[in-house]
Amino acid sequence: MKSPLISATIITIGVSACVTAASNEEISSKAAAMLKSSFKANGQATLDRLDQDATQHLCSEFAGKAPPRDVAQKIEALNLATVKYPTDGNLLGDWKNGEKIAQEGRGKQFSDDPAGPVGGNCYACHQLSPQELSYGTIGPSLYQFGKLRGYGPETQRYAYGKIYNPDAYAACSNMPRFGHNGILSEQQIKDVTALLMDPASPVNR
Amino acid sequence: MILRAERRELGSCRAASLILTQSACVLALSFCVTACALAQTSAVDEIAKYRAALQDGNPAELWEARGEDLWKQKRGPKQVSLEGCDLGLGPGIVKGAYTRLPMYFADADRVMDLETRLVWCMVTLQAYNESQAKKQPFGNGERKSDIEALVAFVTSTSRGMPMNVALKHPKEVEMYQAGEKIFSYRGGPHDFGCVTCHADEGKRIRLQDLPNLTTREGAQKAYTTWPAYRVSQGELRSFEWRLYDCFRQQRFPELLFGSDASIALTLYLARNANGAIFDAPAIKR
C-alpha cells in the first residue's frame, strides 16, 4: 500500500522541484511584468524608473548579498568604465557645501519638488562629522576618512570615483551611483569629496 | 521622523530668517521669531503627544471603533452591511481572518490581501463602483480613510492569534515567488530595492532601526506590528500604506493600491511571519 504512495510523492516532489528549478528566469520575468502593472507615474517619478540597467538586473539576483566573484568583477569593470573625472583636474570643492549635501535627504522622490534641492543624504547611512549624532549604519563610518587614509591624489581620486559610481569598487553596493545616475552634479560631488578629504573638514578634525 | 521633521522646519526657518534680516524689517524679524518658535513648539508637541499616547493607550482604538461601525452599517447603493463579506473563513467571520491573508479567493480568481478583499466586498455586496471604493485608501488629515478604519477593525480581532498563511493554491505559490523577487528588485535613480535597507542585521537609517525582513525572526517581528497608529502622522496606517511609502522613499513611481506587487510583497512577508503571534494595531513613532 505504501510504496505506490511514496513513489507518487517522490515523482510529485521531483516534478515540482524541476518546475521550480527550471523557472527561476520565468519567475523573475513574471515579477518584472507584475511591477510594470503595479505602479503609476507621479511627477518626476516616471514608469521608466522600473526599467533596470545591466547592473541593477544582475544585482537583483543575489537578494541583497554579495554576488559571486566572477559576476562581481564583471559589474565592477562595467561601472569603472563610466567614472568621469572633472576636466579641470580639481577634485576638491567646498566641504561646507559638502556637509549640507550630506545632510539633505530630499530629491527624486515623487513627493519632492522637482525644482527643489537634491542631496546625497549621506548621514542616512554613514557617520561623517562627529557633531552629527543622527547617522545611520547601513554604510561604514567615514569619520576621519582622509586623516586615516592620507590626503594624497590617489585617495582623492578614489573618494570622488566612489561617490560617482560605488559599483566600480564594490559590485552591488547599497550606495547610489550619484554621478553615473545623475543624482548629484560634478560640483556637488567635488563638495562631498572635500567633506571627506579636506584636512579642515570636521570629518578629519 | 520627529527629529527629521524638526530639522527640516528649523532649516527652513534659518533660510527664512536670512532673507528677512536682509530686508532689515523689525516686523518681519518678529514674524520669523514667532514662526521658528512655532516650528519648535510643533515638534515638542509631537513628542508630548507621543508620550501621552503611549501612556493612555493606543489611538488606533478610534479607528477600530469607526471600522466596526462601517462594517455593520448598511451602506452603498444596495444599503447592505459588510457582515456578509467573506474574508476567507466564510461570510461574516472576522476573527482570525487576517492571520490567513493574503490568500486565493475562487470567486475573484485572484490572490487578495485584506485591503483588496474589502474593496471586493464593497463592490460586490454594497454595489459601490471600484473607483468609489478605492478613492481614499489612506487617510490624509481631515479626510479619513474608510479602508484604514476597516483594516483596523478586522485586524484587531486577530490580536493574540498566530500567523497562519498557507501556500496551497498554485496562484498563492506564484504570488509568493513573485514577492520574493520583487523584494530583491533594484531600480530607479538610486538603485534601491527592499533589500537595500532590509536584508541585514542590526542596521539603522539615521537613528531609526531597520528590521531584517529576509529572516524569519525579522519578518515575524515587523509583520505582526502592522497596521499601526503612527504618532508622527496622527493616522492609522495599513500594510499597503507601509509598502506605498517605502517605494516612495526608494524613488520608485507610485505604487497602485490593491496592485499585484503590493499583494505579492504582503504575501511574501506574511507567510515568512507564520507562527508569530499577531499583535496589532500597534503604535509606532
Side-chain angles (χ1 to χ4, degrees):
Chain A
M1 277 301 279
K2 267 184 183 171
S3 65
L5 199 83
I6 289 169
S7 47
T9 312
I10 288 169
I11 288 166
T12 316
I13 291 171
V15 169
S16 58
C18 284
V19 169
T20 312
S23 61
N24 187 44
E25 279 301 303
E26 242 176 73
I27 297 167
S28 287
S29 61
K30 256 186 202 163
M34 195 181 276
L35 273 174
K36 294 265 161 72
S37 67
S38 294
F39 286 84
K40 67 173 180 187
N42 184 339
Q44 59 180 318
T46 47
L47 286 175
D48 57 4
R49 290 189 178 185
L50 297 171
D51 298 330
Q52 293 178 316
D53 72 1
T55 299
Q56 291 171 335
H57 183 72
L58 284 167
C59 290
S60 296
E61 283 304 306
F62 305 102
K65 304 289 173 237
R69 198 55 227 151
D70 57 325
V71 181
Q73 280 169 345
K74 188 178 153 186
I75 292 167
E76 285 163 13
L78 196 70
N79 282 282
L80 192 60
T82 73
V83 180
K84 288 192 195 77
Y85 288 94
T87 44
D88 66 4
N90 185 12
L91 302 184
L92 299 190
D94 177 351
W95 68 260
K96 291 189 180 101
N97 282 332
E99 172 69 21
K100 284 180 201 148
I101 295 160
Q103 292 281 3
E104 179 59 71
R106 284 171 295 180
K108 306 278 184 190
Q109 298 167 120
F110 61 69
S111 51
D112 293 326
D113 176 1
V118 177
N121 206 14
C122 312
Y123 282 103
C125 299
H126 296 284
Q127 182 185 30
L128 291 117
S129 305
Q131 289 81 356
E132 179 54 85
L133 300 177
S134 174
Y135 61 85
T137 58
I138 295 171
S141 170
L142 303 175
Y143 175 52
Q144 299 197 321
F145 184 91
K147 197 175 185 177
L148 293 171
R149 289 167 181 79
Y151 299 109
E154 275 315 300
T155 315
Q156 283 185 21
R157 273 180 75 81
Y158 168 69
Y160 187 97
K162 180 82 182 179
I163 300 164
Y164 192 96
N165 190 339
D167 286 45
Y169 310 89
C172 305
S173 169
N174 283 326
M175 182 169 152
R177 293 173 287 173
F178 288 105
H180 178 63
N181 282 343
I183 302 164
L184 297 179
S185 68
E186 181 180 288
Q187 186 56 51
Q188 284 181 303
I189 298 176
K190 285 183 177 186
D191 292 342
V192 178
T193 307
L195 181 66
L196 296 173
M197 290 297 293
D198 190 323
S201 160
V203 167
N204 295 315
R205 296 182 68 91
Chain B
M1 205 64 197
I2 290 164
L3 285 173
R4 221 179 300 162
E6 184 179 27
R7 186 194 321 285
R8 219 168 19 234
E9 280 159 15
L10 294 178
S12 59
C13 260
R14 243 179 267 137
S17 84
L18 200 72
I19 294 160
L20 293 168
T21 40
Q22 276 169 349
S23 74
C25 172
V26 177
L27 255 179
L29 263 172
S30 69
F31 162 78
C32 176
V33 168
T34 317
C36 291
L38 275 176
Q40 278 167 328
T41 312
S42 84
V44 170
D45 278 351
E46 283 302 308
I47 294 165
K49 269 196 261 174
Y50 185 57
R51 290 194 181 123
L54 287 175
Q55 277 169 10
D56 294 349
N58 187 344
E61 285 168 18
L62 301 171
W63 273 256
E64 293 167 28
R66 193 163 67 84
E68 187 169 5
D69 281 347
L70 286 167
W71 181 261
K72 290 176 176 168
Q73 272 169 31
K74 293 183 169 62
R75 301 176 75 232
K78 280 197 183 163
Q79 284 298 297
V80 293
S81 79
L82 287 171
E83 287 164 305
C85 178
D86 182 357
L87 296 173
L89 298 179
I93 301 175
V94 180
K95 189 175 170 63
Y98 193 65
T99 63
R100 309 271 184 140
L101 292 171
M103 71 185 287
Y104 175 79
F105 288 88
D107 54 4
D109 187 29
R110 192 184 173 201
V111 176
M112 293 170 145
D113 62 356
L114 174 59
E115 289 93 321
T116 317
R117 190 63 185 174
L118 287 167
V119 168
W120 169 269
C121 287
M122 288 168 79
V123 171
T124 56
L125 296 179
Q126 297 178 319
Y128 284 109
N129 68 44
E130 197 174 322
S131 64
Q132 285 170 329
K134 282 183 171 179
K135 79 170 189 291
Q136 190 80 43
F138 311 130
N140 184 6
E142 290 300 299
R143 286 172 297 149
K144 294 293 175 204
S145 163
D146 288 351
I147 299 278
E148 280 178 333
L150 286 162
V151 162
F153 164 59
V154 172
T155 57
S156 71
T157 65
S158 288
R159 190 190 295 277
M161 298 174 73
M163 288 302 301
N164 186 17
V165 175
L167 291 185
K168 278 188 292 194
H169 194 278
K171 288 200 176 180
E172 290 169 347
V173 176
E174 196 180 294
M175 270 302 207
Y176 178 89
Q177 289 173 330
E180 187 173 25
K181 287 287 177 192
I182 293 170
F183 193 85
S184 298
Y185 192 93
R186 298 180 58 170
H190 286 57
D191 300 335
F192 287 159
C194 307
V195 287
T196 311
C197 289
H198 297 296
D200 236 328
E201 289 301 319
K203 301 290 184 188
R204 57 172 214 244
I205 189 158
R206 287 279 186 170
L207 293 177
Q208 181 61 38
D209 290 329
L210 296 164
N212 178 358
L213 300 176
T214 63
T215 66
R216 184 166 199 82
E217 199 190 22
Q220 287 180 327
K221 205 172 149 196
Y223 192 80
T224 55
T225 54
W226 285 96
Y229 177 78
R230 284 292 288 264
V231 178
S232 54
Q233 302 178 10
E235 291 283 355
L236 180 128
R237 292 311 191 187
S238 61
F239 200 71
E240 284 229 13
W241 177 86
R242 178 60 283 171
L243 296 175
Y244 168 95
D245 208 52
C246 274
F247 278 118
R248 178 183 67 81
Q249 291 169 297
Q250 273 173 238
R251 275 77 178 170
F252 274 46
E254 186 180 335
L255 183 66
L256 291 167
F257 181 70
S259 61
D260 279 344
S262 293
I263 296 166
L265 277 170
T266 304
L267 178 57
Y268 171 64
L269 294 167
R271 166 75 180 188
N272 291 349
N274 262 4
I277 302 299
F278 185 71
D279 192 24
I283 183 165
K284 292 178 191 270
R285 65 191 168 85

